[in-house]
Amino acid sequence: MNKKRLITRISAAFSAALITLLCAVLPAFAGGGEKEITVEPIAFHNADFIRGMDVSSVISLENSGVKFYDENGRQADLFRILADHGVNYIRVRVWNDPYDGAGKGYGGGNNDIEKAAQIGSRAAKYGMKLLVDFHYSDFWADPLKQQSPKSWAGLYLDERLSAIKEYTASALDSIRSAGAEIGMVQIGNETNSGIAGVTNFDDIPKVFSAAAKAVRDFDPNILIAVHFTNPEQTSTMKWRADWLAQNNVDYDVFATSYYPYWHGSLENLTEVLRYVADTYGKYVMVAETSYAYTLEDSDGHPNTVSEWDNNSGDDLLWEFSEQGQADEVRAVMNAVNNVGEKGLGVFYWEGAWITVGDTTGLSGDAYTQRVNDNKALWEQYGCGWAASFAGAYEPDDAGQYFGGSAVDNQAFFDPSGKALRSLWVFDRVVTYDPVLGDVDLDGEVTILDATAVQRYLVDLIYLKPAAQKAADVNRNGEVDILDATRIQRMLAGFNDE
Ligand code: CA
């Protein structure tokens, strides 16, 4: 039998049936939650629009005993759960040396090159690329802090630029060697006021250029991102793009943080990003956003969004609920997409930084005991935002206020590690258009597609959501062996409709 003609016939028949069936199919993938969230799909200009997540703390959490589950209570690798729910890119922060002289971790995940390599390789296993977020510091870099790594202290500028180049190349080599698929590199984190200990605005662009050169030399296909914050300071943000151009900084992506509590309107966000895209032809994206699904704390460390803080609600568009959390993510994606084809995507910040010991409902001695247990884990594994050991490097902030997760109420997992319904936003914003049976998404239904289902079922390969939806040919909401059989029967000319 002519394979091509058969395939055409199968495709046509299934495509026709697909339009009417799609609405019936999708809810079946939504899991077992009683109350589903609703998400209006977005017509993305960029077919590969990034629906990313930063989960840098995950290894320190797992070391502390945290486990993750899908919404049906099945334990699974966090990265698989994220991929199954439509997350398609992972971001990881990297600190040069987040340890004190005795080898004690500063916390915040103790995210060094080794952690990034592990995270990147696990992401790759589930089809997700990696954004490597170099802070060029030994601990948190943000608008207020851009402290030099210990080992670069006292270096002259030229020596520092050489060190940055060598470090960047070496780190990327280690991360890729572990199996990560590095798609993008961020040269500095929220670099409003400096980078790598350099705060002179004549010298900062030289640091960017040194880092960018190292990335280009390593692999010219990797996107280079610069990252700032405070997009609500509209003219200042536009000026940054002008300043980068005047200094001939080589980069591909202009990224900003966007936390709706502090960072102005979505319309302003779109305007700022559109200016950079239209004026300089750069990709633009949101490198960090997040939103609270509850105002409850669950680990004994105060949250950045709580009953007492950021809760006036006057200028917030969404309620603090799973639906509100999903709505915020969709709205930020939509604001970036509104820029046009240069709108590259959105990363959610630390969407899995949950408690290492649930304090919900506890009081008195039981609460105190649980918090003390958590403190011990934060110190031992670095799974809180900072451990006391960070005080040696950063005495004024981490040294005073070290502790646990300040964003456990902004995660997509409840305190037990179970996925929230809101996690589905990453999948539901996309309109899938599967050719049923075309599991490898090459445009044809062949025996290889039946084989792919079989290999997926024994964990030899992973199928992304688009492939899973194409594989569910009997449309029962699951990919199972019946689908492989059905594809074989299709190829043999049987019509099981
Ligand atoms: Ca907390």
Side-chain angles (χ1 to χ4, degrees):
M1 193 179 292
N2 182 305
K3 197 178 92 176
K4 283 278 183 193
R5 202 184 310 143
L6 172 69
I7 289 159
T8 306
R9 188 168 63 79
I10 290 170
S11 299
F14 277 82
S15 294
L18 182 72
I19 305 301
T20 48
L21 285 166
L22 201 55
C23 291
V25 171
L26 288 179
F29 284 93
E34 286 176 24
K35 186 171 149 238
E36 297 299 336
I37 59 157
T38 58
V39 178
E40 188 187 340
I42 296 173
F44 288 113
H45 298 293
N46 188 329
D48 296 319
F49 193 88
I50 293 171
R51 308 181 311 274
M53 194 180 292
D54 189 316
V55 289
S56 298
S57 60
V58 60
I59 293 171
S60 67
L61 293 170
E62 291 170 342
N63 289 342
S64 306
V66 169
K67 293 179 171 59
F68 293 96
Y69 307 85
D70 68 17
E71 61 271 65
N72 297 312
R74 288 180 292 214
Q75 190 191 330
D77 189 325
L78 172 67
F79 293 87
R80 175 167 193 148
I81 296 172
L82 296 179
D84 277 349
H85 287 75
V87 174
N88 63 2
Y89 223 111
I90 294 294
R91 178 177 186 254
V92 67
R93 61 176 166 272
V94 182
W95 292 314
N96 288 43
D97 179 27
Y99 296 92
D100 70 10
K104 299 287 191 183
Y106 292 166
N110 296 340
N111 277 80
D112 54 10
I113 295 168
E114 167 60 23
K115 291 262 186 351
Q118 287 183 45
I119 286 170
S121 85
R122 284 170 64 183
K125 187 176 172 193
Y126 298 104
M128 297 182 286
K129 289 184 181 175
L130 188 70
L131 162 53
V132 180
D133 167 18
F134 287 119
H135 283 221
Y136 295 123
S137 186
D138 287 341
F139 208 39
W140 298 106
D142 59 34
L144 300 175
K145 306 173 197 166
Q146 293 288 339
Q147 195 175 338
S148 170
K150 295 182 288 292
S151 65
W152 299 351
L155 294 185
Y156 291 111
L157 182 62
D158 283 354
E159 298 169 329
R160 190 172 298 264
L161 299 181
S162 296
I164 286 166
K165 281 184 196 166
E166 285 170 24
Y167 169 80
T168 301
S170 167
L172 292 177
D173 188 52
S174 297
I175 294 167
R176 175 179 282 177
S177 296
E181 192 182 344
I182 302 170
M184 199 185 321
V185 172
Q186 202 185 295
I187 49 173
N189 192 73
E190 295 189 335
T191 54
N192 287 17
S193 61
I195 179 170
V198 175
T199 54
N200 180 319
F201 273 61
D202 291 328
D203 292 338
I204 294 169
K206 296 171 186 167
V207 177
F208 289 144
S209 293
K213 173 93 168 58
V215 180
R216 287 275 187 252
D217 288 349
F218 178 76
D219 183 345
N221 295 313
I222 292 176
L223 293 174
I224 297 171
V226 292
H227 178 211
F228 303 97
T229 187
N230 300 107
E232 79 283 7
Q233 297 169 9
T234 311
S235 57
T236 302
M237 277 304 254
K238 291 178 177 176
W239 171 82
R240 294 185 203 288
D242 302 337
W243 170 64
L244 293 170
Q246 286 154 11
N247 286 280
N248 298 309
V249 174
D250 174 26
Y251 72 100
D252 305 300
V253 184
F254 186 96
T256 183
S257 298
Y258 180 77
Y259 293 102
Y261 326 106
W262 313 304
H263 290 159
S265 73
L266 289 164
E267 291 75 16
N268 182 70
L269 172 67
T270 301
E271 185 201 324
V272 168
L273 296 180
R274 182 177 285 140
Y275 170 80
V276 182
D278 288 353
T279 310
Y280 299 109
K282 303 297 184 183
Y283 287 112
V284 292
M285 70 174 193
V286 166
E288 296 183 15
T289 191
S290 67
Y291 204 73
Y293 74 89
T294 175
L295 292 173
E296 299 297 316
D297 171 57
S298 58
D299 76 345
H301 180 84
N303 293 334
T304 51
V305 177
S306 69
E307 291 280 356
W308 303 276
D309 204 0
N310 297 301
N311 186 29
S312 66
D314 292 347
D315 53 352
L316 292 174
L317 300 173
W318 314 280
E319 61 181 11
F320 294 120
S321 67
E322 291 180 55
Q323 181 66 56
Q325 188 183 30
D327 288 345
E328 192 267 353
V329 171
R330 186 205 177 273
V332 176
M333 287 183 182
N334 197 50
V336 174
N337 188 55
N338 282 343
V339 172
E341 288 180 1
K342 293 294 183 183
L344 191 62
V346 172
F347 284 87
Y348 196 91
W349 192 71
E350 283 284 8
W353 202 345
I354 61 171
T355 181
V356 292
D358 190 6
T359 59
T360 306
L362 300 180
S363 60
D365 290 347
Y367 176 84
T368 304
Q369 181 60 51
R370 180 65 53 83
V371 175
N372 285 338
D373 291 346
N374 290 350
K375 284 179 178 171
L377 293 168
W378 301 336
E379 290 287 279
Q380 184 175 356
Y381 297 109
C383 51
W385 86 269
S388 65
F389 313 110
Y393 181 69
E394 193 191 86
D396 295 338
D397 191 3
Q400 300 291 318
Y401 307 109
F402 59 89
S405 174
V407 293
D408 46 285
N409 62 332
Q410 304 196 55
F412 283 96
F413 296 85
D414 73 13
S416 74
K418 189 172 164 184
L420 302 176
R421 294 178 297 256
S422 46
L423 185 57
W424 280 110
V425 66
F426 293 90
D427 178 82
R428 303 279 189 84
V429 289
V430 181
T431 304
Y432 293 94
D433 189 18
V435 172
L436 287 177
D438 180 22
V439 181
D440 58 15
L441 307 175
D442 69 348
E444 299 184 341
V445 180
T446 70
I447 193 65
L448 294 178
D449 295 305
T451 307
V453 172
Q454 292 165 336
R455 289 168 59 82
Y456 169 72
L457 292 173
V458 293
D459 271 339
L460 284 173
I461 58 169
Y462 177 72
L463 298 179
K464 296 180 187 183
Q468 291 183 32
K469 287 170 170 89
D472 182 28
V473 288
N474 67 3
R475 298 182 293 276
N476 69 348
E478 299 224 0
V479 180
D480 53 33
I481 195 64
L482 296 176
D483 295 310
T485 307
R486 179 79 73 101
I487 292 170
Q488 288 166 339
R489 287 175 58 82
M490 285 161 60
L491 291 168
F494 292 101
N495 182 352
D496 292 330
E497 288 302 300

